[in-house]
């Protein structure tokens, strides 16, 4: 509640934020699928963060070539069963180069998750700023920013990303560049969501009271509107992370994303199709990792959406714990 209405607040109202967080946790715990997805996401994040430690335990790194582990007479097929898997190379080696697959997989998790989270952060920052400015500005500001948001939404993301990635100097850090480009060309939807939610919130009594008390627009936005925008923004951000992982993988698959020798799951897929018959794990490992990551993040995003807005039914059919939600 606004400080302008502090005189009429009922006892215990100051604890409403804590109570809301407690209800959110209770509703989220009632969804078994979301909890499993959260555990998978936490494990993937831990693997990404601990990539240097994990590869040190294995005794390998993602860039060292091992030509003695591939059969040059057969075009570079890994020597041995299961793609050359052994005590020294837990998941085998990469065809032609002999680079360790386990090391490239765990470092690839860093790139995929890091790019997706960075792009989502840029999208949220730009979208929230533009959406709030449009909703609180005058008619001309609102019209201008709304039309810009419409243009951003209508632009084909992949084509714009391909064009921008092609003209940026090669010396710029590629993972950072991919995250920035995805964020800058895909913030339009969250701007429209933020604008619509802000237009609704600004009509509420406590916001009107803050305005009549002489608060500045910036203070009203920071103290009164942002807390109310948390639910839709967090929900959209949770659902955008898996989308951004797919976009990064697609760009790397097309050869314009993360460049070698930096490992990326999408980059591994781009060169794995010709080796499917000879070294199946080279294709199945990054494809499986992408599938599990996107699925877990999508299920978690759906769980967060349902927990923040219990009036909206979950789109999942399994593990949603509807009885537990009703009790919560």
């Amino acid at each position: 509640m606004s400080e302008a209405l502090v005189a009429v607040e009922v006892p215990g109202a100051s604890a409403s934020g804590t109570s809301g967080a407690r209800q959110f946790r209770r509703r989220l715990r009632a969804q078994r699928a979301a909890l499993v997805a959260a555990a998978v996401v936490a494990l993937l994040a831990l693997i990404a963060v601990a990539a240097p430690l994990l590869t040190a335990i294995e005794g390998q790194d993602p860039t060292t070539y091992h030509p003695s582990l591939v059969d040059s007479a057969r075009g570079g097929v890994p020597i041995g069963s299961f793609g050359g898997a052994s005590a020294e190379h837990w998941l085998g080696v990469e065809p032609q180069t002999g680079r360790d697959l386990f090391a490239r997989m765990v470092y690839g998790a860093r790139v995929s998750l890091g790019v997706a989270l960075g792009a989502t952060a840029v999208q949220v920052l730009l979208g929230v700023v533009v959406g709030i400015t449009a909703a609180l500005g005058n008619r001309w500001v609102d019209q201008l920013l709304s039309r810009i948001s419409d243009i951003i939404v209508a632009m084909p993301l992949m084509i714009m990303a391909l064009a921008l990635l092609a003209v940026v100097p090669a010396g710029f850090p590629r993972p950072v560049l991919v995250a920035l480009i995805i964020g800058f060309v895909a913030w339009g939807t969250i701007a429209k969501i933020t604008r619509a939610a802000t237009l609704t919130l600004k009509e509420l009594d406590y916001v009107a009271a803050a305005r009549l008390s002489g608060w500045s627009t910036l203070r009203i936005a920071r103290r009164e509107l942002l807390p109310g925008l948390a639910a839709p923004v967090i929900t959209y951000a949770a659902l955008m992370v898996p989308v951004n992982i797919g976009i990064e993988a697609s760009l790397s698959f097309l050869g314009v994303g993360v460049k070698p020798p930096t490992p990326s799951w999408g980059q591994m897929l781009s060169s794995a199709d010709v080796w499917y018959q000879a070294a199946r794990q080279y294709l199945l490992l990054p494809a499986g990792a992408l599938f599990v990551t996107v699925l877990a993040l999508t299920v978690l995003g759906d769980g967060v959406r349902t927990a923040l807005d219990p009036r909206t039914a979950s789109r999942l059919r399994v593990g949603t714990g509807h009885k537990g939600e009703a009790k919560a």
Side-chain angles (χ1 to χ4, degrees):
M1 293 292 287
S2 167
E3 291 178 4
L5 296 181
V6 68
V8 295
E9 286 184 358
V10 296
S14 60
S16 60
T18 304
S19 176
R22 199 158 43 235
Q23 290 179 0
F24 168 75
R25 290 194 297 269
R26 187 161 58 245
R27 291 170 186 147
L28 191 61
R29 285 197 300 267
Q31 303 179 71
R32 294 184 296 275
L35 291 179
V36 173
V40 173
V41 172
L43 177 61
L44 290 169
L46 179 62
I47 290 173
V49 172
L53 176 62
L54 293 174
T55 54
I57 293 174
E58 188 197 23
Q60 304 296 333
D61 64 78
T63 57
T64 300
Y65 284 49
H66 300 93
S68 62
L69 300 179
V70 296
D71 188 351
S72 57
R74 298 172 56 198
V77 176
I79 299 173
S81 58
F82 303 105
S86 64
E88 292 78 23
H89 302 278
W90 297 346
L91 297 180
V93 296
E94 186 180 60
Q96 285 191 313
T97 65
R99 291 181 293 194
D100 185 77
L101 269 184
F102 175 80
R104 294 187 67 76
M105 284 293 299
V106 295
Y107 272 92
R110 277 189 152 192
V111 173
S112 294
L113 292 175
V115 168
L117 292 173
T120 302
V122 174
Q123 290 169 336
V124 169
L125 179 61
L126 290 176
V128 169
V129 170
V130 172
I132 291 179
T133 304
L136 297 182
N138 58 38
R139 177 170 172 266
W140 297 107
V141 171
D142 186 17
Q143 288 293 320
L144 174 62
L145 294 179
S146 296
R147 296 296 78 77
I148 293 175
S149 299
D150 291 338
I151 293 172
I152 294 294
V153 171
M155 284 194 309
L157 188 150
M158 290 299 295
I159 294 176
M160 290 298 300
L162 286 170
L164 292 172
L165 285 167
V167 300
V168 175
F172 197 92
R174 209 65 177 184
V176 176
L177 176 62
V178 173
L180 288 175
I181 288 180
I182 295 174
F184 276 113
V185 300
W187 54 264
T189 301
I190 196 168
K192 296 173 75 67
I193 292 173
T194 303
R195 175 183 175 275
T198 303
L199 289 175
T200 300
L201 291 172
K202 68 185 289 190
E203 300 301 326
L204 299 180
D205 291 341
Y206 67 89
V207 178
R211 190 183 302 113
L212 292 174
S213 299
W215 285 16
S216 67
T217 302
L218 181 60
R219 189 180 184 188
I220 292 174
R222 180 170 54 87
R223 298 292 299 275
E224 307 297 345
L225 297 178
L226 285 179
L229 291 171
V233 169
I234 291 174
T235 299
Y236 181 79
L239 295 173
M240 278 306 299
V241 173
V243 174
N244 290 334
I245 286 180
I247 294 172
E248 183 278 324
S250 299
L251 292 172
S252 296
F253 181 83
L254 294 173
V256 294
V258 177
K259 298 292 186 181
T262 303
S264 164
W265 291 344
Q267 177 199 111
M268 293 172 69
L269 283 174
S270 68
S271 56
D273 54 347
V274 298
W275 297 102
Y276 177 69
Q277 294 296 330
R280 288 183 173 85
Q281 84 285 353
Y282 189 42
L283 174 65
L284 295 178
L285 285 174
L290 280 171
F291 175 78
V292 170
T293 303
V294 171
L295 178 62
L297 285 168
T298 302
V299 173
L300 179 59
D302 182 85
V304 170
R305 178 184 63 83
T306 306
L308 287 171
D309 187 5
R311 297 169 299 178
T312 305
S314 173
R315 292 170 293 180
L316 299 174
R317 297 296 183 186
V318 179
T320 51
H322 295 298
K323 293 182 181 179
E325 289 176 24
K327 293 178 181 179

